[in-house]
Amino acid sequence: MKASAPILLREFVEQLHTLFTEHLRDDERWERIAALLPSLLNSPDLHASAKAWPEHAAGERPRNLLFYEDPVYRFVINGLIKKPHEGTPVHDHAHTWTVSGLMEGEERVVLYRRADDGSQPDFARLETLEDRRVGPGHVDVIAPYVIHEEHAGDRRTVSIIVRSERTGSFPQNMFHVISGKVTQAPGAGQFPYNLE
Ligand SMILES: [Fe+2]
């Protein structure tokens, strides 16, 4: 992966560099990143580019296409395509911050909170906090350990995601809502993709 940002992301990455040099709390920084994301979600050039992004094969999980990894601040920019009716398990992103924006299609996004006292590491009772249908332009900030799931509607969806670091190398929690069981698994792998 090249250290310099692809042209389509260059201005956005420069804005993120500015945010990472400012003295901000993490929640403030990631809210500011969320406020910048519509510049990508509305980019005609990125919409055109997305037509050529590779889709995963039948039976595979959706792929985090890795467009850029910052050599200094470690954040990554991903594209993610879900086929119609594909979704995620109920999960968290461990200690990392995520801003996820929908560029194409409609999704159902469900946020949960733990209704138990957290004293058992392999058990959680969850309560639904929010259950929403969202469309193009919608942006979520997913703070560390926020429990959530997303499901595509009748058409494929395309998301642009900024993460505080690449996923796939550390365990994330997976929640089995009916049994209450909690397991750990590495998060989604990263697939380098050249946006130029
Ligand atoms: Fe997630």
Side-chain angles (χ1 to χ4, degrees):
M1 175 114 304
K2 286 181 295 183
S4 65
I7 288 168
L8 293 182
L9 303 179
R10 199 155 288 170
E11 199 178 325
F12 181 75
V13 166
E14 283 169 9
Q15 291 170 322
L16 262 57
H17 283 166
T18 303
L19 281 181
F20 274 89
T21 58
E22 289 183 28
H23 291 286
L24 298 169
R25 290 196 319 263
D26 280 340
D27 59 328
E28 294 172 330
R29 179 174 293 113
W30 287 89
E31 286 294 343
R32 299 264 297 269
I33 292 171
L36 294 172
L37 196 59
S39 66
L40 298 185
L41 301 178
N42 297 325
S43 158
D45 290 338
L46 264 184
H47 277 264
S49 171
K51 294 187 196 313
W53 297 352
E55 289 191 12
H56 50 294
E60 284 182 351
R61 286 170 66 185
R63 290 182 170 186
N64 276 263
L65 301 174
L66 179 60
F67 299 149
Y68 177 70
E69 179 171 23
D70 195 83
V72 176
Y73 299 107
R74 298 177 65 209
F75 64 83
V76 297
I77 302 175
N78 289 144
L80 185 76
I81 297 173
K82 293 190 191 79
K83 294 179 179 173
H85 304 295
E86 280 183 338
T88 68
V90 180
H91 66 288
D92 67 21
H93 294 171
H95 58 282
T96 64
W97 284 84
T98 308
V99 164
S100 179
L102 196 55
M103 194 165 83
E104 193 183 306
E106 291 179 354
E107 290 197 347
R108 178 177 166 227
V109 179
V110 189
L111 302 180
Y112 298 90
R113 73 173 190 89
R114 285 185 83 134
D116 63 301
D117 62 8
S119 58
Q120 290 176 263
D122 57 353
F123 174 83
R125 193 155 51 82
L126 301 185
E127 271 178 13
T128 303
L129 267 184
E130 268 184 37
D131 186 341
R132 285 183 301 167
R133 285 179 197 284
V134 301
H138 177 80
V139 177
D140 277 312
V141 177
I142 302 165
Y145 298 102
V146 165
I147 304 165
H148 62 284
E149 63 181 317
E150 304 124 33
H151 299 273
D154 294 337
R155 290 184 295 139
R156 80 165 195 167
T157 63
V158 181
S159 300
I160 304 280
I161 305 171
V162 186
R163 303 179 188 275
S164 56
E165 61 185 270
R166 57 158 73 205
T167 49
S169 57
F170 54 85
Q172 299 176 208
N173 291 308
M174 305 288 152
F175 298 86
H176 305 264
V177 176
I178 294 176
S179 68
K181 202 164 169 46
V182 183
T183 56
Q184 282 77 40
Q190 299 272 329
F191 294 82
Y193 179 77
N194 189 350
L195 264 188
E196 312 285 13

